[in-house]
Amino acid sequence: MIGEAGAHTKAARLEPTRVPAAPENGAGGVSPGDPAGRGGCVRSGPVSEWRSGAAPPRPRGSTPRPHPEARGGARSPRPRHRPSTMAAAAPLRDCQAWKDAGLPLSTPSNEACRLFDATLTQYVKWTNDQSLGGIEGCLSKLKAADPTFALGHAIANGLILIGTGSSVRLDKELDLAVKTMVEISKAQPLTQRERLHVSAVETFAKGNLPKACELWEQILQDHPTDMLALKFSHDAYFYLGYQEQMRDSVARIYPFWTPDIPLSSYVKGIYSFGLMETNFYNRAEKLAKEALSVNPTDAWSVHTIAHIHEMKAEVQDGLEFMQRSETHWKDSDMLACHNYWHWALYLIEKVR
């Protein structure tokens, strides 16, 4: 577990004078494991069994170009083996559903598309969902459904890399898996979005997190509802300690996440965390509470509020909030331990 050295600081920070407004048109938010990582549990990374071996135009005049300095920094989840009983909120998307969403996947397998969605959903929710088979189970079945599914390789390798428990320099198996992903991507026609995903994961594997974030931002310019690009970039920004980019990256795409889009409420939580990290505590709390009103099990929004009470020295409010909400987030096995750690901080402060 790493400390919150870059992105998380307990020192008082001056309130910035400007921040992208949070549109009140409905969206969702949330994010990963012990990302806030100042304490908590050590998590083991998902073991990918893939270690061997035309996109629609951007809405003109509506999607802002990424900030020229947009670069990485979020902390991502690494699933443990304790399963959760939380079920998926929406039906898993097949080939046609992904195409209808403007995010076509280059695989003929409906099963592979659904398993990709299942993996992504658990990553966003910070939980190994037993009803879906957990992240590792989904990745194993995803490989079997379509061994040459390039974006399947990208999410599998990306989750290992973003978990920071391994690297291509130290793990020959992971190194081979990344090279295999690149080879597979070159051997078939992919959408530009998919090629950028592969390039971003490969770039991340080489240790160039800022460049990887630039590639994910390129995806979000044309595909603002690409949750994988949003989550990978958010987590990378966290690692880099790029607080403003972590906030603004979500602010740019937030208006496109209407309530009918799967996982939209979690975008509120993801956005709220960036707002909190840049001292916009009231706005962050409002968004996090909106996310929780849609989905009380959103452990990342709980995490944001835990930070806000801590930064505002609201010890009793923090204690009451954690106790009142515990029943909802305690089964989010990739983040619950860290939320309990925040709870412990309140208890320590109370007795000082």
Side-chain angles (χ1 to χ4, degrees):
M1 194 100 315
I2 63 170
E4 286 183 332
H8 295 261
T9 174
K10 296 183 69 175
R13 296 171 290 188
L14 296 176
E15 180 87 353
T17 56
R18 299 181 64 187
V19 68
E24 300 298 333
N25 65 337
V30 125
S31 213
D34 176 350
R38 290 180 298 181
C41 307
V42 176
R43 295 160 297 146
S44 59
V47 180
S48 168
E49 296 189 13
W50 287 7
R51 286 185 164 195
S52 60
R58 172 167 60 93
R60 295 190 180 278
S62 54
T63 309
R65 304 289 292 184
H67 191 289
E69 297 179 359
R71 296 183 179 180
R75 172 117 169 124
S76 162
R78 288 184 272 170
R80 298 182 299 163
H81 293 289
R82 191 183 78 186
S84 166
T85 55
M86 292 188 292
L92 297 175
R93 289 166 281 186
D94 59 13
C95 295
Q96 187 60 49
W98 281 105
K99 185 175 181 180
D100 292 344
L103 303 167
L105 300 178
S106 297
T107 174
S109 170
N110 281 318
E111 182 67 5
C113 285
R114 294 188 188 99
L115 288 164
F116 175 85
D117 200 7
T119 303
L120 178 61
T121 296
Q122 292 171 95
Y123 173 36
V124 171
K125 292 184 176 183
W126 293 86
T127 183
N128 282 287
D129 190 331
Q130 188 176 30
S131 71
L132 297 176
I135 288 182
E136 292 187 22
C138 286
L139 288 175
S140 177
K141 289 183 271 188
L142 181 52
K143 174 194 174 184
D146 185 354
T148 62
F149 178 25
L151 209 53
H153 284 267
I155 192 173
N157 292 327
L159 286 172
I160 294 172
L161 291 163
I162 211 119
T164 70
S166 187
S167 73
V168 293
R169 292 185 179 182
L170 300 176
D171 187 336
K172 293 182 179 179
E173 206 174 345
L174 177 58
D175 183 46
L176 177 60
V178 172
K179 290 176 180 176
T180 300
M181 170 190 70
V182 174
E183 291 172 1
I184 285 175
S185 72
K186 292 178 178 178
Q188 57 184 292
L190 300 178
T191 64
Q192 178 64 11
R193 180 180 71 91
E194 291 170 308
R195 292 196 182 282
L196 285 169
H197 266 297
V198 169
S199 295
V201 171
E202 181 187 20
T203 301
F204 190 102
K206 293 177 179 178
N208 192 343
L209 275 64
K211 179 60 178 178
C213 287
E214 290 176 7
L215 294 170
W216 283 314
E217 291 285 3
Q218 285 184 44
I219 294 172
L220 292 171
Q221 288 180 57
D222 294 336
H223 306 279
T225 59
D226 187 318
M227 178 59 87
L228 187 61
L230 176 61
K231 274 289 292 152
F232 275 165
S233 60
H234 188 76
D235 291 357
Y237 285 135
F238 181 102
Y239 287 131
L240 291 167
Y242 292 174
Q243 297 162 314
E244 292 184 1
Q245 287 89 338
M246 187 164 47
R247 177 196 68 202
D248 295 348
S249 176
V250 191
R252 283 188 288 270
I253 56 83
Y254 184 87
F256 295 92
W257 282 84
T258 53
D260 58 302
I261 299 174
L263 301 174
S264 64
S265 74
Y266 290 90
V267 178
K268 288 183 182 289
I270 299 173
Y271 189 11
S272 73
F273 189 77
L275 287 166
M276 180 279 299
E277 284 290 273
T278 49
N279 303 322
F280 291 94
Y281 300 133
N282 292 339
R283 189 172 296 173
E285 185 173 5
K286 180 178 183 293
L287 273 179
K289 287 182 175 179
E290 286 179 12
L292 290 169
S293 71
V294 177
N295 189 346
T297 64
D298 182 346
W300 189 246
S301 289
V302 169
H303 173 245
T304 295
I305 294 176
H307 268 272
I308 292 168
H309 286 310
E310 179 187 347
M311 296 302 292
K312 295 171 72 174
E314 297 171 344
V315 175
Q316 191 58 39
D317 288 344
L319 281 169
E320 292 173 1
F321 170 73
M322 298 305 282
Q323 185 171 17
R324 185 171 63 249
S325 62
E326 178 191 14
T327 246
H328 298 298
W329 54 259
K330 64 183 178 66
D331 289 329
S332 295
D333 59 304
M334 290 188 282
L335 188 58
C337 188
H338 182 74
N339 280 348
Y340 278 117
W341 180 82
H342 274 283
W343 193 341
L345 290 182
Y346 293 129
L347 293 171
I348 292 170
E349 191 67 26
K350 186 176 183 179
V351 300
R352 289 174 65 178

